[in-house]
Amino acid sequence: QGIDIMVAATKDAAWPAELQLVVVGDGTEKPLLRDEPRIVSLGRLPSQEAARWYAHAYCAISMKKGTGSVGAHGYWPFKLIESAAVGVPIVCSDARGMKEAGERLGNAVIVRDGDSHACASAVRSLVEDQTARNRLATAGLVAVREYDWSAGARQLGNALDLAARSRRGRSR
């Protein structure tokens, strides 16, 4: 989702002239990638191979849209978490779920939903500013630790303990 915005971003004057957008994955928007000179579509890849592509990127991009039935309720921000885990900053839309995760992880440049020019400008700024890339990447690597399974299990256990204690206190 949001491939149309990314395609438009690659055509914007703000997009870095020599930079190619590498798309990993498959889906209904794949036909939009055909015959686009600045786009390389790799299709679906095994996780380890996709991670190698991530590791060499200036940034990741996730321009999910805040419209439609899914967008109206928000997204689970897998792309933001993945990019944080491999130490790559991300440009993302301000769609529900994406914006909040980007702020919490600290690894994102958040742009207005649907704004291909803002996406292109954000990519350019990350390509040109290694200090900003490193700052966002480091913030993401630190913050993503709270998204691992063991941290999630601890948080759930703590919440359940608190709820049980609260319930016992009311039943007296």
Side-chain angles (χ1 to χ4, degrees):
Q1 294 175 357
I3 292 290
D4 57 332
I5 299 162
M6 291 183 240
V7 169
T10 66
K11 296 174 182 179
D12 191 281
W15 186 267
E18 301 301 316
L19 185 69
Q20 288 187 307
L21 173 66
V22 177
V23 178
V24 176
D26 218 349
T28 59
E29 294 181 309
K30 188 172 182 170
L32 298 174
L33 304 173
R34 288 194 194 114
D35 303 320
E36 293 294 339
R38 290 186 173 172
I39 298 176
V40 175
S41 177
L42 300 177
R44 191 172 303 275
L45 296 176
S47 297
Q48 289 181 341
E49 190 174 342
R52 281 193 293 273
W53 279 95
Y54 251 130
H56 296 291
Y58 284 105
C59 64
I61 305 173
S62 184
M63 294 300 294
K64 295 206 181 267
K65 299 175 186 176
T67 58
S69 61
V70 175
H73 295 91
Y75 293 95
W76 180 250
F78 287 116
K79 296 295 180 232
L80 279 88
I81 296 167
E82 288 172 348
S83 68
V86 295
V88 174
I90 189 165
V91 174
C92 72
S93 71
D94 62 358
R96 284 183 65 188
M98 303 296 285
K99 177 183 178 189
E100 294 80 2
E103 290 170 347
R104 187 170 183 174
L105 287 164
N107 68 327
V109 176
I110 302 166
V111 300
R112 193 174 74 238
D113 183 12
D115 191 339
S116 59
H117 176 71
C119 177
S121 296
V123 169
R124 175 180 285 285
S125 72
L126 289 173
V127 167
E128 293 176 349
D129 188 347
Q130 183 174 353
T131 302
R133 278 197 322 272
N134 291 342
R135 179 179 42 77
L136 293 168
T138 300
L141 284 168
V142 170
V144 77
R145 293 178 190 148
E146 68 184 74
Y147 286 87
D148 84 354
W149 288 110
S150 59
R154 277 192 307 278
Q155 289 173 2
L156 178 59
N158 291 340
L160 292 172
D161 287 344
L162 180 62
R165 284 194 305 272
S166 174
R167 185 164 173 83
R168 280 193 301 267
R170 284 185 290 172
S171 62
R172 291 183 184 173

